[in-house]
Amino acid sequence: MKKILDLLLALILTLSLAACGDGAVSDILEETENSDSAEITETENEANDTEGEKTATYLLDEADTGSSALILYCYDGETVTSRTCYTTATENELLDTLNVSVTPAESTDLSEWEAPCYGLWTCDGEGYDLTLAYYDGLWLDRDGNVWSGEADFAACWEALEGENEDDTLSVLSFPNAGYLAPVNDRFLAASSAVDESGISTMPLEMTMTVLDVTDDVVTVLIDNQSGYEMEYGESFSLETEQDGEWYVLPPQGALEFDDMAYILPDMTQAEETCDLTAYGDLEAGHYRIVKDGMTAEFWLDENGALTDAG
C-alpha cells in the first residue's frame, strides 16, 4: 500500500512541474535553494552566537563596589603607583569602562609584557581579592589565566589622577606579580636580606639550612649557637638568583602565617617547614628561603626536586 502511495505522489509532482513550464521550475528550484541557504545561514549565525556566549567572559562581573574600594595600579618599568577610589558611583563608572568582553588569549607568554602595565584590585561578592593585570589588550587574572580584550585602561588611570595616590610601592605590590616575576625579569624585586653595605642581617651564629624539598614543602634546620636564647616566626619569603643577584619572588596566591614566636634556646636546633605551594610550579634554578634575617639556599631540578648546585 505504501509503495502505491509513493508512486501516486511522484506522478502528481511530475505533472505539476510539467504544467508550470521550465521557467517556473527554475523559479521553484531557485526559491528552494535560497530558502535552504537562508536556513543554513541562520543556523550558522545561531551556532556562532551560541559559541560566542560560551567563550565570551567578563572578568569584572564579580566585583562588589558596595563593600570595597577600587585600586588602580600603573607600573612604568621602575615604580609601581596606585590610585584608590572610595566613591561607589565613580567605581561603577570605571568598572563599566573596564569590564569588556574577553576571550582566552592566543599568546600566554608573560615574558613579553613591558611597561606600561596596569593593574586593578577590588573585592568580589564573597569578600575575596579580585586582582587583574593588563598589558596591550591582554589580561592576567588571579588564577594565572591570560585573556584577550581591548580596554581603555589609560583613560581610567588618568581619570583617577590625584586620588589617594601612592608612588612608593615596589613591583611586589603589582597585582598578580607572582605569575609575572618567574618568567619576566621586569617584575623581579631586589632582595633586602642584606643591607646596603652587603652585610647579611641574619643574627650571628644563628643559621638555617635546607634539609629536604618534597611536594613543594621545604624542610629547614635552624641552629642556634649564638650564646643567647633566640626567637623566630612562621613567616618566610622565597628568593631566586639571577646572574649573581638575588630577587624576591612574589607568591601567586595568599600566604597566611600564624602570628607566633618560637623560642630556640642556645645550643639547640629545630626543624621547620615552608610550604611553597603559593609560588606555583618553580623552574629549575637557584633559590633561597628567607626567614627572620636567616637565609637557606637550595637548587631545584626541572622536576622540582632538590639537587646539587648547578
mmCIF file of all heavy atoms in Angstrom, residues 65-66 68-72 83-98 120 155-161 163-164:
data_model
loop_
_atom_site.group_PDB
_atom_site.id
_atom_site.type_symbol
_atom_site.label_atom_id
_atom_site.label_comp_id
_atom_site.label_asym_id
_atom_site.label_seq_id
_atom_site.Cartn_x
_atom_site.Cartn_y
_atom_site.Cartn_z
ATOM 1 N N THR A 65 31.394 46.697 44.364
ATOM 2 C CA THR A 65 31.823 48.047 44.739
ATOM 3 C C THR A 65 31.177 48.515 46.039
ATOM 4 O O THR A 65 31.655 49.476 46.649
ATOM 5 C CB THR A 65 31.478 49.046 43.624
ATOM 6 O OG1 THR A 65 30.056 48.994 43.375
ATOM 7 C CG2 THR A 65 32.211 48.704 42.355
ATOM 8 N N GLY A 66 30.146 47.847 46.466
ATOM 9 C CA GLY A 66 29.479 48.277 47.678
ATOM 10 C C GLY A 66 30.223 47.918 48.945
ATOM 11 O O GLY A 66 29.958 48.471 50.009
ATOM 12 N N SER A 68 33.865 47.399 48.988
ATOM 13 C CA SER A 68 35.303 47.634 48.959
ATOM 14 C C SER A 68 35.645 48.826 48.083
ATOM 15 O O SER A 68 34.831 49.285 47.276
ATOM 16 C CB SER A 68 36.051 46.398 48.438
ATOM 17 O OG SER A 68 35.732 46.184 47.065
ATOM 18 N N ALA A 69 36.861 49.301 48.238
ATOM 19 C CA ALA A 69 37.371 50.363 47.383
ATOM 20 C C ALA A 69 37.812 49.753 46.054
ATOM 21 O O ALA A 69 37.781 48.529 45.862
ATOM 22 C CB ALA A 69 38.540 51.063 48.065
ATOM 23 N N LEU A 70 38.228 50.609 45.150
ATOM 24 C CA LEU A 70 38.772 50.175 43.865
ATOM 25 C C LEU A 70 40.146 50.814 43.723
ATOM 26 O O LEU A 70 40.281 52.039 43.812
ATOM 27 C CB LEU A 70 37.868 50.606 42.712
ATOM 28 C CG LEU A 70 38.392 50.299 41.304
ATOM 29 C CD1 LEU A 70 38.433 48.785 41.067
ATOM 30 C CD2 LEU A 70 37.523 50.961 40.240
ATOM 31 N N ILE A 71 41.174 49.991 43.540
ATOM 32 C CA ILE A 71 42.535 50.494 43.398
ATOM 33 C C ILE A 71 43.046 50.177 42.003
ATOM 34 O O ILE A 71 42.977 49.025 41.560
ATOM 35 C CB ILE A 71 43.478 49.865 44.445
ATOM 36 C CG1 ILE A 71 42.937 50.073 45.857
ATOM 37 C CG2 ILE A 71 44.874 50.461 44.322
ATOM 38 C CD1 ILE A 71 43.787 49.403 46.926
ATOM 39 N N LEU A 72 43.541 51.190 41.315
ATOM 40 C CA LEU A 72 44.200 51.004 40.023
ATOM 41 C C LEU A 72 45.703 51.168 40.211
ATOM 42 O O LEU A 72 46.157 51.967 41.041
ATOM 43 C CB LEU A 72 43.689 52.015 38.998
ATOM 44 C CG LEU A 72 42.204 51.951 38.643
ATOM 45 C CD1 LEU A 72 41.900 52.899 37.482
ATOM 46 C CD2 LEU A 72 41.755 50.535 38.303
ATOM 47 N N ARG A 83 46.373 54.340 42.699
ATOM 48 C CA ARG A 83 45.375 55.377 42.922
ATOM 49 C C ARG A 83 44.109 54.691 43.410
ATOM 50 O O ARG A 83 43.614 53.765 42.758
ATOM 51 C CB ARG A 83 45.113 56.170 41.642
ATOM 52 C CG ARG A 83 46.310 57.006 41.185
ATOM 53 C CD ARG A 83 46.116 57.644 39.826
ATOM 54 N NE ARG A 83 47.282 58.436 39.448
ATOM 55 C CZ ARG A 83 47.451 59.001 38.248
ATOM 56 N NH1 ARG A 83 46.516 58.860 37.303
ATOM 57 N NH2 ARG A 83 48.540 59.707 37.994
ATOM 58 N N THR A 84 43.597 55.148 44.549
ATOM 59 C CA THR A 84 42.474 54.476 45.200
ATOM 60 C C THR A 84 41.217 55.316 45.124
ATOM 61 O O THR A 84 41.236 56.510 45.420
ATOM 62 C CB THR A 84 42.805 54.196 46.677
ATOM 63 O OG1 THR A 84 44.019 53.443 46.751
ATOM 64 C CG2 THR A 84 41.685 53.399 47.336
ATOM 65 N N CYS A 85 40.135 54.658 44.732
ATOM 66 C CA CYS A 85 38.827 55.319 44.644
ATOM 67 C C CYS A 85 37.901 54.729 45.704
ATOM 68 O O CYS A 85 37.744 53.517 45.801
ATOM 69 C CB CYS A 85 38.223 55.119 43.251
ATOM 70 S SG CYS A 85 36.575 55.816 43.057
ATOM 71 N N TYR A 86 37.262 55.620 46.497
ATOM 72 C CA TYR A 86 36.335 55.189 47.533
ATOM 73 C C TYR A 86 34.885 55.564 47.215
ATOM 74 O O TYR A 86 33.987 55.243 47.980
ATOM 75 C CB TYR A 86 36.713 55.818 48.883
ATOM 76 C CG TYR A 86 38.057 55.381 49.401
ATOM 77 C CD1 TYR A 86 39.172 56.209 49.280
ATOM 78 C CD2 TYR A 86 38.218 54.139 50.012
ATOM 79 C CE1 TYR A 86 40.417 55.814 49.763
ATOM 80 C CE2 TYR A 86 39.461 53.739 50.494
ATOM 81 C CZ TYR A 86 40.554 54.577 50.366
ATOM 82 O OH TYR A 86 41.780 54.180 50.834
ATOM 83 N N THR A 87 34.661 56.245 46.094
ATOM 84 C CA THR A 87 33.317 56.698 45.728
ATOM 85 C C THR A 87 32.637 55.643 44.869
ATOM 86 O O THR A 87 33.114 55.330 43.767
ATOM 87 C CB THR A 87 33.371 58.029 44.961
ATOM 88 O OG1 THR A 87 34.120 58.981 45.721
ATOM 89 C CG2 THR A 87 31.969 58.555 44.698
ATOM 90 N N THR A 88 31.539 55.108 45.365
ATOM 91 C CA THR A 88 30.872 54.000 44.671
ATOM 92 C C THR A 88 30.470 54.368 43.252
ATOM 93 O O THR A 88 30.648 53.568 42.322
ATOM 94 C CB THR A 88 29.638 53.545 45.464
ATOM 95 O OG1 THR A 88 30.032 53.141 46.779
ATOM 96 C CG2 THR A 88 28.952 52.382 44.765
ATOM 97 N N ALA A 89 29.939 55.567 43.051
ATOM 98 C CA ALA A 89 29.497 55.977 41.715
ATOM 99 C C ALA A 89 30.672 55.985 40.742
ATOM 100 O O ALA A 89 30.561 55.511 39.601
ATOM 101 C CB ALA A 89 28.833 57.354 41.780
ATOM 102 N N THR A 90 31.808 56.520 41.179
ATOM 103 C CA THR A 90 32.987 56.558 40.320
ATOM 104 C C THR A 90 33.525 55.163 40.073
ATOM 105 O O THR A 90 33.942 54.831 38.951
ATOM 106 C CB THR A 90 34.081 57.440 40.953
ATOM 107 O OG1 THR A 90 33.562 58.743 41.211
ATOM 108 C CG2 THR A 90 35.285 57.552 40.027
ATOM 109 N N GLU A 91 33.501 54.336 41.107
ATOM 110 C CA GLU A 91 33.940 52.951 40.946
ATOM 111 C C GLU A 91 33.119 52.245 39.865
ATOM 112 O O GLU A 91 33.661 51.542 38.997
ATOM 113 C CB GLU A 91 33.801 52.188 42.260
ATOM 114 C CG GLU A 91 34.773 52.606 43.349
ATOM 115 C CD GLU A 91 34.575 51.796 44.617
ATOM 116 O OE1 GLU A 91 34.487 50.557 44.523
ATOM 117 O OE2 GLU A 91 34.488 52.394 45.695
ATOM 118 N N ASN A 92 31.801 52.443 39.907
ATOM 119 C CA ASN A 92 30.928 51.798 38.928
ATOM 120 C C ASN A 92 31.203 52.292 37.514
ATOM 121 O O ASN A 92 31.166 51.510 36.549
ATOM 122 C CB ASN A 92 29.462 52.037 39.291
ATOM 123 C CG ASN A 92 29.042 51.254 40.528
ATOM 124 O OD1 ASN A 92 29.602 50.196 40.821
ATOM 125 N ND2 ASN A 92 28.059 51.764 41.254
ATOM 126 N N GLU A 93 31.482 53.586 37.378
ATOM 127 C CA GLU A 93 31.806 54.128 36.058
ATOM 128 C C GLU A 93 33.089 53.502 35.510
ATOM 129 O O GLU A 93 33.168 53.137 34.325
ATOM 130 C CB GLU A 93 31.959 55.646 36.141
ATOM 131 C CG GLU A 93 30.657 56.393 36.395
ATOM 132 C CD GLU A 93 30.869 57.892 36.513
ATOM 133 O OE1 GLU A 93 32.019 58.344 36.283
ATOM 134 O OE2 GLU A 93 29.908 58.618 36.828
ATOM 135 N N LEU A 94 34.091 53.384 36.369
ATOM 136 C CA LEU A 94 35.354 52.790 35.938
ATOM 137 C C LEU A 94 35.175 51.320 35.580
ATOM 138 O O LEU A 94 35.718 50.840 34.574
ATOM 139 C CB LEU A 94 36.394 52.933 37.045
ATOM 140 C CG LEU A 94 36.834 54.360 37.375
ATOM 141 C CD1 LEU A 94 37.702 54.373 38.629
ATOM 142 C CD2 LEU A 94 37.586 54.976 36.210
ATOM 143 N N LEU A 95 34.416 50.595 36.385
ATOM 144 C CA LEU A 95 34.189 49.176 36.102
ATOM 145 C C LEU A 95 33.404 48.989 34.813
ATOM 146 O O LEU A 95 33.658 48.045 34.053
ATOM 147 C CB LEU A 95 33.454 48.518 37.270
ATOM 148 C CG LEU A 95 34.264 48.360 38.560
ATOM 149 C CD1 LEU A 95 33.399 47.767 39.661
ATOM 150 C CD2 LEU A 95 35.488 47.475 38.333
ATOM 151 N N ASP A 96 32.447 49.883 34.543
ATOM 152 C CA ASP A 96 31.698 49.794 33.289
ATOM 153 C C ASP A 96 32.628 49.947 32.090
ATOM 154 O O ASP A 96 32.436 49.303 31.050
ATOM 155 C CB ASP A 96 30.616 50.881 33.244
ATOM 156 C CG ASP A 96 29.437 50.558 34.154
ATOM 157 O OD1 ASP A 96 29.309 49.388 34.549
ATOM 158 O OD2 ASP A 96 28.667 51.479 34.475
ATOM 159 N N THR A 97 33.639 50.801 32.239
ATOM 160 C CA THR A 97 34.590 51.008 31.151
ATOM 161 C C THR A 97 35.534 49.823 30.991
ATOM 162 O O THR A 97 35.862 49.417 29.862
ATOM 163 C CB THR A 97 35.418 52.286 31.398
ATOM 164 O OG1 THR A 97 34.535 53.406 31.484
ATOM 165 C CG2 THR A 97 36.421 52.522 30.279
ATOM 166 N N LEU A 98 35.958 49.260 32.103
ATOM 167 C CA LEU A 98 36.971 48.204 32.062
ATOM 168 C C LEU A 98 36.400 46.802 31.900
ATOM 169 O O LEU A 98 37.123 45.886 31.484
ATOM 170 C CB LEU A 98 37.804 48.251 33.342
ATOM 171 C CG LEU A 98 38.641 49.518 33.554
ATOM 172 C CD1 LEU A 98 39.313 49.494 34.919
ATOM 173 C CD2 LEU A 98 39.687 49.651 32.455
ATOM 174 N N LEU A 120 44.569 46.178 38.741
ATOM 175 C CA LEU A 120 43.317 46.514 39.431
ATOM 176 C C LEU A 120 43.145 45.606 40.625
ATOM 177 O O LEU A 120 43.436 44.401 40.559
ATOM 178 C CB LEU A 120 42.147 46.373 38.471
ATOM 179 C CG LEU A 120 40.725 46.624 38.986
ATOM 180 C CD1 LEU A 120 39.854 47.138 37.842
ATOM 181 C CD2 LEU A 120 40.096 45.349 39.560
ATOM 182 N N ALA A 155 42.870 55.670 30.085
ATOM 183 C CA ALA A 155 41.894 56.724 30.361
ATOM 184 C C ALA A 155 41.378 56.618 31.789
ATOM 185 O O ALA A 155 41.189 57.633 32.475
ATOM 186 C CB ALA A 155 40.742 56.641 29.367
ATOM 187 N N CYS A 156 41.136 55.395 32.247
ATOM 188 C CA CYS A 156 40.665 55.207 33.622
ATOM 189 C C CYS A 156 41.743 55.628 34.614
ATOM 190 O O CYS A 156 41.443 56.215 35.663
ATOM 191 C CB CYS A 156 40.279 53.752 33.839
ATOM 192 S SG CYS A 156 38.817 53.209 32.912
ATOM 193 N N TRP A 157 42.988 55.341 34.286
ATOM 194 C CA TRP A 157 44.095 55.744 35.144
ATOM 195 C C TRP A 157 44.160 57.276 35.248
ATOM 196 O O TRP A 157 44.326 57.826 36.341
ATOM 197 C CB TRP A 157 45.396 55.184 34.597
ATOM 198 C CG TRP A 157 46.621 55.607 35.355
ATOM 199 C CD1 TRP A 157 47.589 56.475 34.950
ATOM 200 C CD2 TRP A 157 46.999 55.179 36.664
ATOM 201 N NE1 TRP A 157 48.544 56.614 35.915
ATOM 202 C CE2 TRP A 157 48.210 55.830 36.988
ATOM 203 C CE3 TRP A 157 46.431 54.309 37.599
ATOM 204 C CZ2 TRP A 157 48.873 55.642 38.200
ATOM 205 C CZ3 TRP A 157 47.080 54.125 38.809
ATOM 206 C CH2 TRP A 157 48.275 54.783 39.102
ATOM 207 N N GLU A 158 44.029 57.944 34.133
ATOM 208 C CA GLU A 158 44.055 59.414 34.124
ATOM 209 C C GLU A 158 42.867 59.989 34.879
ATOM 210 O O GLU A 158 42.977 61.029 35.533
ATOM 211 C CB GLU A 158 44.065 59.925 32.692
ATOM 212 C CG GLU A 158 45.351 59.617 31.935
ATOM 213 C CD GLU A 158 45.286 60.056 30.484
ATOM 214 O OE1 GLU A 158 44.267 60.674 30.099
ATOM 215 O OE2 GLU A 158 46.245 59.785 29.737
ATOM 216 N N ALA A 159 41.725 59.310 34.816
ATOM 217 C CA ALA A 159 40.523 59.805 35.497
ATOM 218 C C ALA A 159 40.695 59.830 37.011
ATOM 219 O O ALA A 159 40.032 60.612 37.694
ATOM 220 C CB ALA A 159 39.325 58.939 35.121
ATOM 221 N N LEU A 160 41.604 59.005 37.535
ATOM 222 C CA LEU A 160 41.826 58.963 38.980
ATOM 223 C C LEU A 160 43.071 59.756 39.401
ATOM 224 O O LEU A 160 43.553 59.598 40.528
ATOM 225 C CB LEU A 160 41.979 57.520 39.461
ATOM 226 C CG LEU A 160 40.703 56.690 39.597
ATOM 227 C CD1 LEU A 160 41.031 55.329 40.214
ATOM 228 C CD2 LEU A 160 39.658 57.403 40.444
ATOM 229 N N GLU A 161 43.561 60.603 38.532
ATOM 230 C CA GLU A 161 44.762 61.376 38.849
ATOM 231 C C GLU A 161 44.569 62.167 40.144
ATOM 232 O O GLU A 161 43.585 62.895 40.301
ATOM 233 C CB GLU A 161 45.116 62.325 37.710
ATOM 234 C CG GLU A 161 46.421 63.066 37.931
ATOM 235 C CD GLU A 161 46.828 63.884 36.712
ATOM 236 O OE1 GLU A 161 46.059 63.906 35.722
ATOM 237 O OE2 GLU A 161 47.909 64.491 36.756
ATOM 238 N N GLU A 163 43.938 60.948 43.062
ATOM 239 C CA GLU A 163 43.052 60.268 44.002
ATOM 240 C C GLU A 163 43.854 59.311 44.893
ATOM 241 O O GLU A 163 44.219 58.215 44.480
ATOM 242 C CB GLU A 163 41.967 59.481 43.253
ATOM 243 C CG GLU A 163 40.938 60.344 42.547
ATOM 244 C CD GLU A 163 39.972 60.983 43.537
ATOM 245 O OE1 GLU A 163 39.797 60.435 44.634
ATOM 246 O OE2 GLU A 163 39.406 62.035 43.194
ATOM 247 N N ASN A 164 44.134 59.741 46.124
ATOM 248 C CA ASN A 164 44.816 58.885 47.096
ATOM 249 C C ASN A 164 45.990 58.140 46.452
ATOM 250 O O ASN A 164 46.070 56.917 46.481
ATOM 251 C CB ASN A 164 43.820 57.886 47.691
ATOM 252 C CG ASN A 164 42.642 58.566 48.338
ATOM 253 O OD1 ASN A 164 42.760 59.161 49.398
ATOM 254 N ND2 ASN A 164 41.483 58.500 47.689
#
